[in-house]
Amino acid sequence: MGSRRRNGPVVVLALALLLGAALSGGCATDPAPPPGAGVPAREPVDGSGRRITLTVGVFGTFGLQEAGLYDTYMRLHPDIAVRQTSLTRNDVYYPQLLTHLTAGSGLADVQAVEVGNIAEVLATQAGRLDALGSAPGVDRAAFLPWKWAQGTAPDGRTLALGTDIGPQAVCYRKDLFARAGLPTDRGAVGRLWAGDWRKYLAAGVRYRERSPEGTAFTDSASGVMAAVTGSAALRYYDERGDLIVAVNPAVREAWDLAAMFARQGLTARLQQFTPGWDQAFANGAFATVACPAWMLGYIQDKAGPAGRGRWDVAAAPRPGSWGGSFLVVPSAGRHRAEAARLAAWLTAPAQQAVLFERRGSFPSASASYALPAVADARHPHFGDAPVGEIFAAAARGVPQAPVGPKDALVAQTLADVGMLQVDQTGRPPESAWKAAMKAIDNALDR
């Protein structure tokens, strides 16, 4: 995601390019640091009075290294060296993390965990992780309560410190809205659907009546379903950790609403994060997409220069979150106290603000929202939208929904096995729902 401070015109272009490239490469391996970058000139060694090397294991382009945070930490702590290991994809990284935690070997001193995996890690690996809630430098009040809760195990120990989150808004094409006779001002657009996702559907029906040829109101029914579900107080699991996806009215309402988008011809019938979806941004094939903060850089990259000034950002009907991560400290590490201090520093409000400013990762530390890097952030590609203000408001409103051990699998199955069929092949929603529920049961061996 691109962002900038109002008083930094020279920085604007640099950040827009940097952040757009960063998020478009979300599945890329971290680039190798330049010689000498992030590594002290002299070899750090362990032991009394000597320097210590801490390792941080991450997936994808996590951003901590690219934002220069390790370099800053090493300047502040000359006795510490920080090195990062990275795997390109979380679906490769995460199974290895579980294996290494179970074996008590092969671990970095600090490990990243994606939000879709955090509940399983806390449920199955809590005894192999250090408590971080009272570690030096950690301030519970600095974090969003719902993010803090996600990192806290059932026994009350906080084992994971939040890094970024994915508060959601609705990104929309101002030029297409104007041609369809809809308002274009971001405040007026937000009021079209404020408080109710069904109003978002109603806006889509209005758009369809005068839609520019070859365009749809939104990208996909699955995208709508994910956004609606993400704003619910209960999703796939209840507070006891029981799977309730099949009986939770909120999930079914999200399903039914998304199916209405498909059946009323309001979607471009795309699958997100596919080449066709990417191309549709460049072609202007749809007018809206539910967008977490991290998606703005992706849109900027795929829409290209021609999209600059045509896109804008409005508040979503209801606040929700999609994505985010944590840092944990394995108990098998050699330098647990030093690792805890590093994790605390990396997730502190000041560092999260830097990560947002330089990489677009929206902070889970709400104490950072008043800092200029967040409060004054605007996005030049999206009509200079005050993205810091918009996404901070969304973040504060996210319900504290329980996160289950297989949230990611359930969400993907609902989208790819179920709603995608409704959207792309016209499969009856009830038939697709039953197929999705069966696929979830099979995947979970129920």
Side-chain angles (χ1 to χ4, degrees), residues 225 229 235-237 243-256 406-407 409-419 421-422 427-446:
M225 180 178 65
T229 305
R235 302 169 194 171
Y236 311 130
Y237 289 81
L243 185 69
I244 58 170
V245 60
V247 296
N248 181 3
V251 174
R252 187 57 199 240
E253 288 175 10
W255 174 276
D256 290 341
K406 298 297 182 183
D407 260 32
L409 182 150
V410 173
Q412 184 173 355
T413 304
L414 280 171
D416 293 347
V417 176
M419 190 52 64
Q421 298 296 314
V422 177
R427 185 173 186 174
E430 191 60 33
S431 170
W433 170 266
K434 291 178 180 176
M437 293 302 110
K438 183 177 180 180
I440 291 171
D441 285 343
N442 290 341
L444 299 181
D445 197 24
R446 285 161 46 93

Side-chain angles (χ1 to χ4, degrees), residues 9-19:
V10 175
V11 179
V12 172
L13 179 60
L15 286 179
L17 294 174
L18 172 64
L19 298 178

Side-chain angles (χ1 to χ4, degrees), residues 34 37 62 99 131 136 164 242 252 301 404 409 437:
F62 210 76
T99 298
D164 61 314
D242 294 331
R252 187 57 199 240
D301 182 58
L409 182 150
M437 293 302 110

Side-chain angles (χ1 to χ4, degrees), residues 105-141:
S105 63
L107 293 157
D109 295 292
V110 178
Q111 296 273 178
V113 180
E114 204 270 337
V115 64
N117 305 124
I118 191 63
E120 185 172 39
V121 167
L122 298 184
T124 64
Q125 307 293 332
R128 302 181 176 94
L129 299 174
D130 280 2
L132 299 175
S134 58
V138 174
D139 178 10
R140 174 176 181 169

